[in-house]
Amino acid sequence: MSHPNEGVGAPTPVVSVSPVVLPAPGRGEDLQVRVSAPVAGHELPVIVFSHGFGWSMNGYAPLVDFWAACGFVVVQPTHLDSRTLNITPDDPRHPEIWRFRVADLRRILDQLDVVEAAVPGLRGRLDRGRIAAAGHSWGGQTVSALLGARVLDADGVPGEDMSDPRVKAGVLLSTTGTGGADLSPFAAEHFPFMSPSFADMTTPALVIAGDRDQSALTLRGPDWFADPYHLSPGPKSLLTLFGAEHSLGGIAGYTVTETTDENPERVALIQRITWAYLRSALYPTDVSWAVASTELMQSADPLGRIDSK
């Protein structure tokens, strides 16, 4: 296989501004976001990125920096579960943090004017018809709600539809699968909302899962993280990464101590594959996804495999 990021073009310098504060009545804290954008280009597509548990707008630089250098405007909220906010389980907002997370992403879409104005030189350069959402771990579940996934109640009845038609495509990284009997006792007790139905997740999405991602949240194996692909209607694609654990080689940051499977080649592949997928999902005539998929499949020593439906 050629270099994982061959073909994406020369990177554009990136400007990153934080915190950008979005008023959030009823949240208890205004919503802080980081905005990363290429210094050049017009009609720029947008990615809203939802971090994993405990993280913040300052994480995931390997992905965010790459996407922005390749022409996307990336907006990262700091959700209420962030360690930087230190909200404890006795906080009245705690049981509903998963809902606040989804609301955070919607708020960003509602306030793109504020986001645009906060970055010098960005005004008028967004393509608001080409918006994608991406998330890792809990962030993946958050994003899945915007794509049409719904949380089942204790009786298995789907909850409210939180899908957002402004989001045209999604990327779900290490995103948890079904709940109920699949959850560990710990997860069932502490995360009752971790019981999604993907039956209505109709928005096109790329699901990325590690085949060694063994989670304490489930009684199943790593295949749990492929549920968002297998249990949702097409069009969907699944990238299964060989040997990858929950951090997928280190996407949360450079030299992050939580990374148990550090692998720069794997991270480079994720950069390339996610960029190619979103390019082709948002621009139907773009062949980047077909090219990247073919390269991976034809590699003598592939880092993963792609399935599509």
Side-chain angles (χ1 to χ4, degrees):
M1 182 178 176
S2 58
H3 186 274
N5 293 329
E6 188 176 298
V8 297
T12 303
V14 170
V15 59
S16 187
V17 176
S18 69
V20 176
V21 179
L22 305 182
R27 188 176 181 267
E29 322 255 349
D30 284 338
L31 177 60
Q32 295 195 12
V33 305
R34 170 183 290 272
V35 186
S36 301
V39 298
H42 292 275
E43 298 185 354
L44 302 170
V46 177
I47 300 173
V48 180
F49 185 87
S50 180
H51 62 72
F53 175 75
W55 277 89
S56 74
M57 62 183 175
N58 295 316
Y60 298 90
L63 294 182
V64 173
D65 292 352
F66 183 86
W67 292 335
C70 292
F72 287 91
V73 175
V74 187
V75 189
Q76 300 171 265
T78 292
H79 295 303
L80 289 177
D81 57 278
S82 173
R83 287 186 289 266
T84 63
L85 298 178
N86 199 30
I87 289 177
T88 57
D90 57 0
D91 187 291
R93 295 169 292 178
H94 199 270
E96 298 292 309
I97 277 186
W98 71 274
R99 290 181 180 274
F100 281 107
R101 278 176 148 265
V102 179
D104 289 346
L105 303 187
R106 285 182 172 279
R107 193 177 303 278
I108 290 169
L109 300 181
D110 291 342
Q111 299 193 37
L112 281 178
D113 286 345
V114 179
V115 170
E116 234 186 62
V119 181
L122 187 58
R123 194 187 299 273
R125 294 170 56 213
L126 298 186
D127 184 345
R128 302 189 183 205
R130 301 187 201 271
I131 296 174
H136 175 242
S137 194
W138 197 2
Q141 186 185 11
T142 303
V143 166
S144 75
L146 294 189
L147 308 181
R150 295 163 75 169
V151 174
L152 301 176
D153 66 16
D155 297 320
V157 177
E160 66 185 288
D161 176 7
M162 298 179 171
S163 61
D164 195 309
R166 293 172 292 185
V167 177
K168 307 302 184 188
V171 175
L172 306 179
L173 301 125
S174 304
T175 299
T176 55
T178 52
D182 289 344
L183 293 183
S184 66
F186 174 85
E189 178 183 352
H190 292 91
F191 309 114
F193 58 84
M194 198 176 282
S195 190
S197 166
F198 300 107
D200 298 307
M201 195 174 81
T202 56
T203 304
L206 170 64
V207 177
I208 301 180
D211 69 0
R212 291 189 187 168
D213 188 355
Q214 183 61 60
S215 174
L217 299 175
T218 183
L219 301 177
R220 284 170 53 195
D223 65 300
W224 191 50
F225 291 95
D227 281 359
Y229 170 75
H230 292 296
L231 301 179
S232 65
K236 297 290 186 298
S237 291
L238 170 67
L239 170 62
T240 304
L241 292 165
F242 304 148
E245 298 175 14
H246 199 62
S247 294
L248 303 176
I251 61 169
Y254 305 108
T255 67
V256 168
T257 56
E258 292 172 28
T259 300
T260 54
D261 61 338
E262 187 170 0
N263 188 315
E265 280 189 318
R266 187 178 297 139
V267 173
L269 174 65
I270 295 169
Q271 290 171 333
R272 160 98 165 134
I273 288 287
T274 53
W275 167 84
Y277 178 82
L278 291 176
R279 282 290 309 179
S280 295
L282 297 176
Y283 302 89
T285 60
D286 191 295
V287 298
S288 300
W289 173 244
V291 171
S293 302
T294 300
E295 285 182 356
L296 179 63
M297 289 187 293
Q298 294 179 347
S299 170
D301 186 21
L303 298 174
R305 75 170 185 274
I306 291 174
D307 298 286
S308 293
K309 63 178 183 179

